[in-house]
Amino acid sequence: MEKKLLFVFNPKSGKGLIKSKLLNIINIFVRNGYQVMVHPTQYAQDAYHVVKRVAPQMDLVVCSGGDGTLAEVVTGLLECKEKVPMGYIPSGSTNDFASSLDIPKNMEKAAQEIMEGKCYSCDVGRFNRETFVYIAAFGLFTDVSYQTDQALKNVLGHMAYLLEGVKRIFDIKSYHMKIGANGMQKEDNYIFGMVTNSRSVGGFKNLTGKNVEMDDGLFEVTLIREPKNPLELNEIMGALLTAVDDTDMIYSFKSDCVVIESDEPIPWTLDGEFGGEHSEICIENKKRALHILLNPQKHKDMPLELPEGNIDTPSATVRKDEENE
């Protein structure tokens, strides 16, 4: 019986490179025994709706796009009763999630690795009632990704984010917040904060700290206190650029749950998209909730975890007699 694959892609993501690669990608899927349903996204949240509606009838969902498209697909999958695995072909401007999981930038190579991959499970986040894949953030620069014009992103790529961010450096706003985690509470004024499950943020490695595991059930939390003078600001910038945590202006820790209260509603960014303004936040780690096909040679340290009865490929299936051992 032929296997079914839903391929959801954003034709506007990045520089629209997917358009020239589409036939080759679909051919890779077909050669590996899949009947392919192709859906180019039409509008915001389209990927979420089609995945939620169609995924339960599929053996595999493959997503291609930037962080926004990825977040929609993951949210749709997590809201399905059936545990359907996914593959990811990055095509956005930054692609931190793909970088963290060592997914190739070359689209055809990424598609082939999905076909040869094994099913692993990684953490995702719950932000009040919303799902995010790898980052929830507030403060300095966090609105750059969703306020930067898409046409500018397509032409300049990562440089567009930097150009937009430079405009904000002399307009730093701080927020008074109470942050609770690991049975402790910290109250202070902060200019930036991020709760992440990623080895890369904004295309920069190591900003989230060292020894980041994508499936350990823990977030990496980074908070930057309000600088009182230019020296403290330089101290913060130096620590960020060198990825060396040698300042008390930056507060970092790991936790599976973070509760935040603020004196005023604060704009948040979830996976590069506007996440609304909130004064009370509960961020929870959903351990190994996302099932994704990855190159087994690159992820020998991650445990194989198969969704129940949805995928049936030689590379990803655990035989029933092995499951019962």
Side-chain angles (χ1 to χ4, degrees), residues 45 76 190 296:
Q45 294 300 309
Y190 300 98

Side-chain angles (χ1 to χ4, degrees), residues 3-43:
K3 299 165 291 185
K4 296 181 180 180
L5 184 155
L6 171 63
F7 181 39
V8 180
F9 71 95
N10 183 350
K12 297 180 180 179
S13 179
K15 299 180 181 180
L17 185 62
I18 185 71
K19 297 174 184 177
S20 64
K21 307 291 184 180
L22 190 57
L23 182 59
N24 290 341
I25 291 171
I26 294 173
N27 193 44
I28 290 171
F29 297 155
V30 173
R31 282 206 314 262
N32 281 273
Y34 282 99
Q35 177 184 347
V36 183
M37 174 180 173
V38 180
H39 185 91
T41 58
Q42 305 296 306
Y43 47 82

Side-chain angles (χ1 to χ4, degrees), residues 67 92-100 105 134-135 145 157-159 161-162 194 198-208 240:
D67 291 341
S93 302
T94 306
N95 301 309
D96 289 312
F97 181 74
S99 177
S100 295
K105 293 181 180 179
Y134 72 94
I135 182 170
S145 58
H158 186 60
M159 183 60 67
Y161 293 107
L162 297 179
M194 61 181 179
S198 177
R199 299 185 179 104
S200 171
V201 172
F204 296 99
K205 301 279 189 179
N206 300 320
L207 285 183
T208 58
L240 292 176

Side-chain angles (χ1 to χ4, degrees), residues 3-4 6 9 33 44 60 96 104-105 121 138 156 163 177 180 182 195 197 234 257 262 281 295 301:
K3 299 165 291 185
K4 296 181 180 180
L6 171 63
F9 71 95
L60 176 63
D96 289 312
K105 293 181 180 179
S121 298
F138 72 87
L156 298 179
L163 291 173
M177 310 175 78
N182 303 325
V195 180
N197 186 50
N234 286 338
C257 182
S262 57
I281 298 295
N295 185 330
D301 57 330

Side-chain angles (χ1 to χ4, degrees), residues 163-176:
L163 291 173
E164 186 70 22
V166 167
K167 301 176 186 177
R168 319 296 175 86
I169 193 66
F170 298 110
D171 186 27
I172 300 175
K173 179 177 175 58
S174 66
Y175 302 96
H176 187 77

